[in-house]
Amino acid sequence: NAGKGLYYYLSIEEIVERHGRPEEKAVMYNNMGKQYATLNDYPRALEYFTKAELQCKFITCDYIQVVYANIGIALHNTGNTKGGIDYLLKARRLLETQKDWASMANLEHLMAGVYFSDRDVYNALTHNNEAIRYANETHQIDVLTNAYRTAADIYYQLYDFEKAFDYYKKYLILNDSIRLQEQVRQQNIEQQRTLLSAAEGQIKYLI
């Protein structure tokens, strides 16, 4: 419930603005930006991400690459794709320095999506291939699944229908696997709830 979440964040903002440390303000601004982005209010999201970046100029922010990525996507969604890509590349350089390959998989897929929506299919393909490589290396099935779907879309636009079909099959296989895992997880949760309810009933009976 993003709308209700925003309601509480606005209350938090008032408190943190008065009494918070710069570290707390930076986190709050970034989180509020995410709330506005979830509500598709990208101009407001960009406003708060930019505030977070400003705070991080005066303190140590271990997550500045996240802020850069958020600004990049917000800029793209407000029509400034070139500026957005510049910020995404800043985030990419930091992740390379940190050797954070798991985050690189996500970022490369984000960049592929930005280039693809801007009809730059060749850059989209380059970054999506990197996303697939990093996702394989870091065993991130969810990222790999999404990257396979993006690859299918890219190759379709390039009229390479054989590769598009091949990647779409890979996407379907992994997507089915993830769905089955989620079903098993939900079943396990329901079993645990049933066992817990039964145990609570026994405890009440013994008391």
Side-chain angles (χ1 to χ4, degrees):
N1 190 331
K4 195 168 185 179
L6 181 60
Y7 168 80
Y8 284 107
Y9 265 118
L10 290 169
S11 300
I12 293 168
E13 180 182 20
E14 185 177 347
I15 297 167
V16 175
E17 287 281 8
R18 290 182 181 179
H19 309 292
R21 301 190 305 273
E23 294 85 353
E24 294 164 337
K25 289 180 181 179
V27 172
M28 179 199 67
Y29 290 143
N30 184 67
N31 289 352
M32 288 191 71
K34 290 292 287 182
Q35 289 297 115
Y36 277 113
T38 303
L39 292 165
N40 297 323
D41 188 345
Y42 296 111
R44 292 286 284 171
L46 180 58
E47 176 187 334
Y48 277 100
F49 290 142
T50 304
K51 284 184 177 182
E53 181 190 23
L54 182 61
Q55 290 292 324
C56 286
K57 289 183 178 179
F58 302 103
I59 59 173
T60 300
C61 284
D62 296 332
Y63 52 89
I64 187 62
Q65 67 275 12
V66 175
V67 177
Y68 287 160
N70 287 339
I71 291 174
I73 296 300
L75 282 168
H76 167 67
N77 285 322
T78 52
N80 185 359
T81 297
K82 184 180 182 303
I85 289 171
D86 288 342
Y87 266 94
L88 290 169
L89 289 172
K90 286 172 73 172
R92 188 176 187 271
R93 286 192 291 271
L94 277 175
L95 291 177
E96 280 184 319
T97 301
Q98 297 164 356
K99 300 187 186 303
D100 186 351
W101 309 129
S103 296
M104 278 287 283
N106 281 284
L107 184 65
E108 290 286 4
H109 187 247
L110 272 176
M111 294 184 70
V114 169
Y115 277 115
F116 188 65
S117 66
D118 200 42
R119 302 182 185 278
D120 185 346
V121 289
Y122 293 102
N123 269 315
L125 181 61
T126 298
H127 286 283
N128 199 62
N129 285 339
E130 287 294 280
I132 291 172
R133 180 168 71 88
Y134 286 123
N136 270 314
E137 289 175 1
T138 55
H139 309 291
Q140 296 185 88
I141 301 301
D142 53 340
V143 180
L144 188 59
T145 303
N146 293 330
Y148 281 158
R149 176 57 196 264
T150 301
D153 292 338
I154 291 170
Y155 280 114
Y156 184 84
Q157 288 295 318
L158 292 170
Y159 301 100
D160 191 336
F161 301 118
E162 186 175 344
K163 281 188 177 179
F165 183 63
D166 182 49
Y167 274 105
Y168 193 70
K169 284 194 298 183
K170 289 180 178 180
Y171 158 73
L172 288 176
I173 290 168
L174 281 186
N175 196 49
D176 286 344
S177 174
I178 290 172
R179 190 162 54 244
L180 285 172
Q181 289 175 6
E182 180 60 23
Q183 287 174 356
V184 170
R185 191 180 74 85
Q186 289 296 331
Q187 287 171 358
N188 289 336
I189 289 171
E190 288 303 318
Q191 287 173 357
Q192 290 169 5
R193 284 176 179 164
T194 302
L195 289 170
L196 182 60
S197 296
E200 286 174 347
Q202 290 171 1
I203 291 168
K204 288 175 184 176
Y205 179 75
L206 289 172
I207 292 171

